[in-house]
Amino acid sequence: MAEYQELADAIIKGDNIASKDIAQKLVDENMSPVEILDNGLVPGMDMVGKKFKNNEIYLPEVLIAARAMKSAMEVIKPMLTESGIETKGKIIIGTVQGDVHDIGKNLVGMMLEGGGYTVIDLGADVPHEKFLGEIKKNSVKLIGLSALLTTTMIGMKTVIGMLKEDKETSDVRVMVGGAPLTQEFADSIGANGYAPDATGAVELAGKLL
Ligand code: B1M
């Protein structure tokens, strides 16, 4: 559908007015939020990543593309998070220390809320110790860690180690995700589960809680 391509183009150009308007138009046409994500927003952001990697665009362009992505996500958020279901449990999520990428993590949070979970989002660049403190404060049994950089994903292992060493948190389950991760990596750091995308994260949370 042409509108999906227009939406992807708006992300690539970093046009946050157009991305919002097109997303709203698609919502008004009864397109599902997941279709809007899969056919417009995510392909747009993927192209931004490719251009950045090939030095066709630079950080400022990536930042304005991220802003355009966020504007469109605001439009679909109410549809992703609306659920009359009683909460299935609390989950803490965050992007690990040193890593400011939060778009995928936010999407995971929205989908988890839509799946009936109460989400405590600690944001991005979360110090390892903060996860420990917040788990204890909120009596949470499942956390979700996100990382987009190969240099920061190893921080997940540190967090898991800290949780295992503390009696109060040794039974907390950890799920991980983010573009550079694999099931193999998740297994190697002792995570309880890995999800490749936000929909997978909701399914995984159901298994782990
Ligand atoms: Co950065 N960046 N970036 N960046 N950036 C990447 C990740 C990169 C792959 C680009 C590239 O070179 N092609 C590259 C990493 C290379 C590597 O590590 N080997 C990179 C780099 C190098 C950097 C900087 C170092 C650049 C610099 O300064 N020289 C710098 C690092 C800053 C830091 O973190 N300390 C940097 C900065 C930025 C911006 C700030 C400009 C911006 C982030 C804005 C923001 O998030 N608020 C940015 C962006 C936007 C990207 C790309 C283009 C897009 C990321 C994104 O939002 N994707 C990215 C290239 C790419 O990934 N194609 C890139 C869309 C999002 C929906 O997907 O986050 O993968 P994703 O999330 C998915 C799944 O992974 C999964 O579900 C989500 C939805 O399906 N998922 C989970 C994610 N978390 C999960 C958790 C789960 C389960 C599933 O359970 C808990």
Side-chain angles (χ1 to χ4, degrees):
M1 205 161 106
E3 276 151 336
Y4 286 129
Q5 187 56 52
E6 283 171 30
L7 182 54
D9 289 342
I11 302 295
I12 297 163
K13 282 188 216 141
D15 186 339
N16 64 318
I17 310 281
S19 66
K20 193 176 171 188
D21 289 349
I22 300 164
Q24 187 60 58
K25 206 169 154 211
L26 287 163
V27 166
D28 295 342
E29 285 167 10
N30 290 325
M31 298 302 155
S32 81
V34 175
E35 278 174 330
I36 298 172
L37 272 169
D38 289 350
N39 300 326
L41 295 178
V42 173
M45 211 55 188
D46 275 349
M47 183 51 75
V48 172
K50 288 196 182 99
K51 283 176 178 278
F52 179 57
K53 197 175 180 183
N54 297 334
N55 293 323
E56 289 169 47
I57 58 170
Y58 298 96
L59 268 187
E61 285 99 325
V62 181
L63 266 178
I64 60 165
R67 188 186 59 175
M69 174 98 179
K70 284 189 174 178
S71 301
M73 273 164 62
E74 282 305 312
V75 175
I76 60 170
K77 186 177 175 183
M79 295 162 74
L80 283 174
T81 56
E82 75 190 11
S83 84
I85 319 162
E86 215 176 292
T87 183
K88 290 180 183 165
K90 274 186 277 185
I91 305 177
I92 283 181
I93 60 166
T95 306
V96 292
Q97 188 170 306
D99 196 328
V100 303
H101 297 87
D102 67 355
I103 295 175
K105 182 267 299 165
N106 292 346
L107 206 48
V108 169
M110 287 179 203
M111 296 286 271
L112 285 171
E113 279 183 18
Y117 298 93
T118 301
V119 175
I120 302 168
D121 186 348
L122 302 185
D125 188 12
V126 181
H128 303 322
E129 309 73 33
K130 187 162 181 188
F131 283 107
L132 199 70
E134 292 294 322
I135 290 166
K136 290 181 184 176
K137 200 167 101 189
N138 295 287
S139 313
V140 166
K141 288 289 163 222
L142 174 63
I143 66 164
L145 304 176
S146 180
L148 262 287
L149 297 173
T150 46
T151 48
T152 57
M153 59 194 231
I154 201 63
M156 294 172 160
K157 188 178 178 184
T158 312
V159 175
I160 292 171
M162 287 169 79
L163 298 184
K164 294 259 181 288
E165 270 171 31
D166 192 311
K167 264 195 212 139
E168 261 185 81
T169 57
S170 58
D171 63 340
V172 169
R173 319 219 95 206
V174 181
M175 62 176 188
V176 295
L181 272 80
T182 58
Q183 181 66 55
E184 206 182 10
F185 174 77
D187 293 341
S188 77
I189 60 168
N192 301 100
Y194 157 75
D197 54 32
T199 316
V202 180
E203 277 168 31
L204 184 59
K207 287 184 196 148
L208 294 178
L209 262 184

